[in-house]
Amino acid sequence: MIPAPAFLANPERFMAFSRWAAPLLGVVAVACALVGLWLGFSAPPDYQQGETVRIMFIHVPAAIMSMFVYACLGVASLLALVYRHVLADCAAQAAAVLGTGFTLLALVTGSLWGRPMWGTWWVWDARLTSVLVLFLFYLAYLALRASIDDEAKAARAAAILALVGLINLPIVHFSVYWWNSLHQGSTMLTPGALAPVYAAPLYLMLLAYLAGFGSLWLVRIRGELWRRRAEAAALRAARA
Amino acid sequence: MAPLPDLSAGKYAAFIWPAYGLTALVFAVMIIGALNHARRWKRRAQAARGDDAR
């Protein structure tokens, strides 16, 4: 049996936790982003990429978040399917909305980086295509939830779709090693691949994205819980 | 202390600034969307259930 975190098991405890955790994570995100941007724009132009290296500080964190958020969506969907827990379902729904935003950012900022460096906005290579598929999985998840009126059935169908989409995550990550690609391999996981003058702002921006996601995720889950409470109360009132 | 940021992006400005602008826009949409969603449903939950909804 998979032990769920304590706050996931109890909506009241989650509400008490998220009330202080969401703003705290928001402050951490803003502070990291400000310092990261300062360092990023203070760094010298790269000897090969010139000024376009600054796109790395927003593109790489967005690309990492697109996969990380989908992993969160997958875990929450699994918990929602197995335990039928309302908080896990709220967490999955909230993650999908935010993951769509991060994946859109990864695709568009990557395109804006690729045009001056590769000479093209888009190529149908494995990395770019698998990230596009990831984006389509997010959209399909949201569309499926919106298209079924029965909330329980929608949650179950969307959770199964999210779990199927997990197959795409290792494909996205390993695509640059499995197939020929214009896209470079993983820089952040290769020690010494990145000069400290670029690594510091990149890691700070990644921390900013992570904290920002954490904050917005908690806020969205709270909103989703309130929505369900409001609708349950309205239903009770209508039946009375 | 890092030197003052140099915001001149040279010939690549047409790629760098739209990337940063779009990032700011998407984050703004995500932040405003999340806050509005939470506030709207909190109000409705409180209206429906009294002041016990936190």
Side-chain angles (χ1 to χ4, degrees):
Chain A
M1 185 167 154
I2 304 168
F7 69 84
L8 266 183
N10 183 316
E12 290 310 315
R13 270 207 299 267
F14 170 81
M15 291 304 251
F17 162 78
S18 58
R19 193 189 296 174
W20 60 265
L24 179 66
L25 284 169
V27 169
V28 171
V30 171
C32 288
L34 287 176
V35 180
L37 287 172
W38 179 280
L39 292 178
F41 279 94
S42 304
D46 181 67
Y47 78 106
Q48 281 183 317
Q49 305 197 16
E51 298 284 352
T52 62
V53 74
R54 307 196 198 289
I55 298 178
M56 175 175 71
F57 306 130
I58 50 173
H59 168 72
V60 174
I64 291 173
M65 291 308 297
S66 69
M67 290 193 287
F68 175 74
V69 176
Y70 199 92
C72 294
L73 169 60
V75 171
S77 296
L78 181 66
L79 291 173
L81 266 181
V82 174
Y83 297 110
R84 294 178 187 272
H85 201 289
V86 66
L87 254 178
D89 186 44
C90 291
Q93 200 170 0
V97 175
L98 300 172
T100 307
F102 284 117
T103 313
L104 176 69
L105 278 181
L107 285 168
V108 179
T109 57
S111 186
L112 284 163
W113 197 7
R115 181 66 183 88
M117 292 299 101
W118 300 339
T120 180
W121 297 102
W122 181 265
V123 283
W124 290 101
D125 83 348
R127 170 57 68 85
L128 277 69
T129 307
S130 57
V131 174
L132 180 63
V133 170
L134 182 67
F135 184 62
L136 295 177
F137 264 110
Y138 277 121
L139 292 182
Y141 179 94
L142 294 173
L144 188 58
R145 284 207 80 119
S147 65
I148 302 174
D149 285 335
D150 185 322
E151 185 115 27
K153 283 183 184 170
R156 187 172 172 78
I160 292 169
L161 176 70
L163 291 176
V164 171
L166 281 176
I167 297 167
N168 190 43
L169 287 190
I171 296 175
V172 173
H173 180 71
F174 292 109
S175 55
V176 288
Y177 305 110
W178 290 344
W179 295 285
N180 286 325
S181 174
L182 269 179
H183 200 284
Q184 68 184 69
S186 176
T187 307
M188 293 187 81
L189 297 176
T190 311
L194 204 58
V197 72
Y198 300 122
L202 181 57
Y203 280 104
L204 273 168
M205 290 301 285
L206 177 59
L207 194 58
Y209 275 53
L210 271 170
F213 164 67
S215 176
L216 292 175
W217 198 22
L218 293 178
V219 171
R220 278 217 159 259
I221 296 171
R222 287 170 69 86
E224 194 54 34
L225 274 172
W226 278 316
R227 181 184 72 78
R228 292 175 191 216
R229 285 177 181 178
E231 288 183 352
L235 196 61
R236 279 196 302 274
R239 282 176 182 163
Chain B
M1 183 71 183
L4 282 176
D6 179 12
L7 299 181
S8 61
K11 61 180 179 178
Y12 295 122
F15 303 101
I16 294 170
W17 294 121
Y20 275 86
L22 181 83
T23 300
L25 179 69
V26 170
F27 267 97
V29 168
M30 290 199 294
I31 291 167
I32 293 168
L35 290 175
N36 279 347
H37 178 257
R39 282 180 188 145
R40 183 172 66 246
W41 287 109
K42 182 181 182 181
R43 271 199 307 271
R44 290 194 194 178
Q46 284 175 334
R49 297 181 57 197
D51 286 336
D52 61 329
R54 282 181 293 163

